[in-house]
Amino acid sequence: MIDIKAIRSQFPILDQKVNGHPLVYLDNAATSQKPLGVIDALRNYYLESNANVHRGIHTLSQIATEQMEAARKKVQRFIGARHDHEVIFTKGTTEGINLIAYALTPLISEGDEIIVSHLEHHSNIVPWQMLCERTGAVLRVIPMDGNGVLQLDFLEKILNEKTKIVSVNQVSNALGVINPIEEIIAMTRRLSSAWVVIDGAQSVPHFKIDVQSMDCDFFVFSGHKMYAPMGTGILYGKEAVLEKIHPFHGGGEMIHTCSFEKTTYAALPFRLEAGTPNVGGNIALGAAVDFIESVGHSFIQEHEEALLAKAQKQLSEIGGLKIYAEKAPRTGVVSFTIEGAGIASDAGMILDKMGIAVRTGHHCTQPIMDFFNIAGTVRASFAVYNTLEEIDVLTEGVRKAKRMLL
Ligand SMILES: *Cc1c(COP(=O)(O)O)cnc(C)c1O
């Protein structure tokens, strides 16, 4: 039996008052709070072993290198990758997707097709539009229905031999919808030879990931949404695919030999990690993996399902709320508007006065907002340290916001 109090005690930031009320932090889809284990890992690195990695033969440099490579191995195990050199440190999902889009550029030609879904974050749209501009490739979109469910019969129609990349998220940050990526990947394999990119920014904090059984070519996520420091992230790629792609950044750490006539590149993973990495952050990302594993995926999933079910039930009982994608399989997020109550940020400000942190707006997913013909939603998003009592506070807060705004 896992005790939420014991989990919360690892997050001292939660134990404070905001605007005179106990903080209820429900903006975890934007960034999660960090447990002491992560903060200590970062602090200990700077207190005891700060040095640049891979370059020095001195002791601190060796320790820093060993600690960072140990974190890489932890991530490898955490996501089920075959090799540790398939795990590339980045500064987040955005950098990961841009890296892929640049690295694949020489392999994309005019008239090739790239498929994303209507449920994507801007960072899984814009890098592909830029790739299309560079190459003359065409961007196509898997549509969704009114429940926020992707229409796979349409994907089946648009997949063909010109499809080079299919890039979708496993979980939508704006609505919390869990996408059927197993079916999307199987269909893509059957009907094309495209590379599959999975944006796992919102799934890694909630689910056990196994990139080998998933059979994606790339899997990207951010550290900061899974209890790790800001400015950390992971790009996983299958060895055979990473061997084939062009480096994204050129610079130190990524060369084998360098002369003015010709430079040869280092082996994986360093070929894709130019420059000095975020050593302390990457080590602390390993500590975030330790935290998640210490709590356990089954507890995380069970508890977060209970939070979502309670929020869904209580918010819909208020009446006059439109909850988006409420019939779709979801995790971690309730996204709603109060009907007739103007813009979402008004409700967000009232909730903040009560110490409740939610996000309002378009959540970097304007195409989803356009689909529903709204400017934004109020989004409450959960992490393992949230309590069922906090859902009561949220419900009361929304009830009050509705009274004030109507
Ligand atoms: C947050 C998020 C991103 C972007 O992540 P950054 O950490 O800002 O780089 C991309 N996709 C999804 C689904 C997200 O939730």
Side-chain angles (χ1 to χ4, degrees):
M1 187 53 204
I2 290 163
D3 178 5
I4 293 288
K5 273 215 190 89
I7 293 176
R8 287 180 75 85
S9 72
Q10 299 180 55
F11 293 85
I13 196 173
L14 298 173
D15 188 21
Q16 64 176 296
K17 289 198 166 160
V18 168
N19 296 320
H21 299 271
L23 169 64
V24 174
Y25 186 78
L26 297 173
D27 194 18
N28 296 286
T31 199
S32 67
Q33 300 302 344
K34 324 303 175 197
L36 287 172
V38 167
I39 297 167
D40 287 346
L42 197 57
R43 187 177 139 85
N44 288 341
Y45 166 74
Y46 284 111
L47 280 176
E48 292 164 10
S49 49
N50 176 54
N52 211 329
V53 289
H54 305 305
R55 292 183 182 125
I57 55 149
H58 65 81
T59 303
L60 281 194
S61 169
Q62 282 173 21
I63 293 172
T65 303
E66 275 163 26
Q67 289 179 341
M68 194 174 99
E69 293 311 310
R72 194 192 304 276
K73 286 206 166 64
K74 269 182 202 168
V75 173
Q76 176 204 349
R77 199 175 23 75
F78 181 64
I79 62 171
R82 190 182 298 273
H83 306 290
D84 60 356
H85 58 255
E86 294 174 322
V87 173
I88 311 296
F89 287 118
T90 65
K91 66 185 175 71
T93 308
T94 304
E95 189 183 58
I97 296 174
N98 278 280
L99 190 160
I100 300 166
Y102 275 93
L104 289 177
T105 301
L107 304 174
I108 303 295
S109 317
E110 192 172 344
D112 283 347
E113 295 179 358
I114 297 166
I115 298 177
V116 297
S117 89
H118 202 123
L119 279 173
E120 301 311 317
H121 189 282
H122 295 161
S123 71
N124 198 24
I125 301 172
V126 184
W128 305 119
Q129 288 174 324
M130 293 162 71
L131 173 59
C132 288
E133 276 170 26
R134 288 195 295 278
T135 59
V138 180
L139 190 70
R140 312 204 60 179
V141 182
I142 311 169
M144 63 174 176
D145 66 17
N147 291 319
V149 175
L150 295 182
Q151 298 182 291
L152 296 196
D153 47 344
F154 189 87
L155 174 63
E156 188 157 22
K157 288 200 196 90
I158 60 173
L159 276 165
N160 65 72
E161 69 284 353
K162 282 190 283 184
T163 313
K164 287 291 150 62
I165 297 161
V166 174
S167 188
V168 292
N169 60 31
Q170 189 170 7
V171 173
S172 153
N173 65 303
L175 307 181
V177 173
I178 303 168
N179 289 316
I181 57 162
E182 298 78 10
E183 282 172 78
I184 291 172
I185 294 171
M187 198 180 274
T188 302
R189 299 286 181 231
R190 184 156 53 77
L191 297 171
S192 76
S193 54
W195 291 288
V196 177
V197 181
I198 301 295
D199 169 352
Q202 297 292 342
S203 55
V204 169
H206 307 299
F207 300 146
K208 176 87 190 103
I209 302 299
D210 187 333
V211 290
Q212 283 186 70
S213 66
M214 193 184 283
D215 190 31
C216 54
D217 295 290
F218 299 99
F219 188 91
V220 290
F221 57 98
S222 300
H224 71 94
K225 293 175 179 175
M226 52 158 282
Y227 311 106
M230 293 283 186
T232 62
I234 295 294
L235 161 67
Y236 156 83
K238 272 186 190 165
E239 181 185 53
V241 183
L242 292 183
E243 292 287 5
K244 205 157 40 184
I245 65 178
H246 204 258
F248 173 37
H249 288 144
E253 293 277 346
M254 56 78 72
I255 59 106
H256 175 55
T257 62
C258 177
S259 72
F260 288 114
E261 290 69 41
K262 182 166 175 59
T263 291
T264 57
Y265 303 131
L268 292 172
F270 311 114
R271 193 161 64 87
L272 295 171
E273 290 179 350
T276 299
N278 180 358
V279 181
N282 295 341
I283 293 168
L285 173 59
V289 169
D290 292 339
F291 167 74
I292 290 175
E293 291 182 340
S294 74
V295 177
H297 280 100
S298 61
F299 177 82
I300 292 175
Q301 223 167 308
E302 204 177 299
H303 179 59
E304 290 177 350
E305 271 168 29
L307 293 169
L308 177 59
K310 182 167 178 177
Q312 170 68 33
K313 176 167 180 294
Q314 293 191 170
L315 291 175
S316 56
E317 280 167 4
I318 293 175
L321 260 57
K322 174 149 179 53
I323 301 176
Y324 295 88
E326 61 182 344
K327 296 200 173 69
R330 271 177 307 159
T331 186
V333 168
V334 259
S335 206
F336 61 92
T337 47
I338 303 173
E339 281 171 307
I343 56 171
S345 57
D346 290 344
M349 274 183 302
I350 295 171
L351 292 172
D352 179 56
K353 290 271 183 299
M354 296 182 263
I356 305 166
V358 294
R359 180 152 176 206
T360 62
H362 58 63
H363 317 297
C364 298
T365 58
Q366 281 186 356
I368 300 179
M369 302 300 126
D370 292 346
F371 177 92
F372 290 111
N373 204 16
I374 51 177
T377 69
V378 181
R379 180 185 71 183
S381 55
F382 312 120
V384 69
Y385 43 67
N386 289 123
T387 65
L388 292 164
E389 293 71 44
E390 287 180 315
I391 304 298
D392 294 326
V393 179
L394 171 71
T395 309
E396 237 0 85
V398 172
R399 216 184 281 279
K400 186 165 169 199
K402 183 185 161 195
R403 268 202 310 273
M404 289 173 72
L405 291 169
L406 289 185

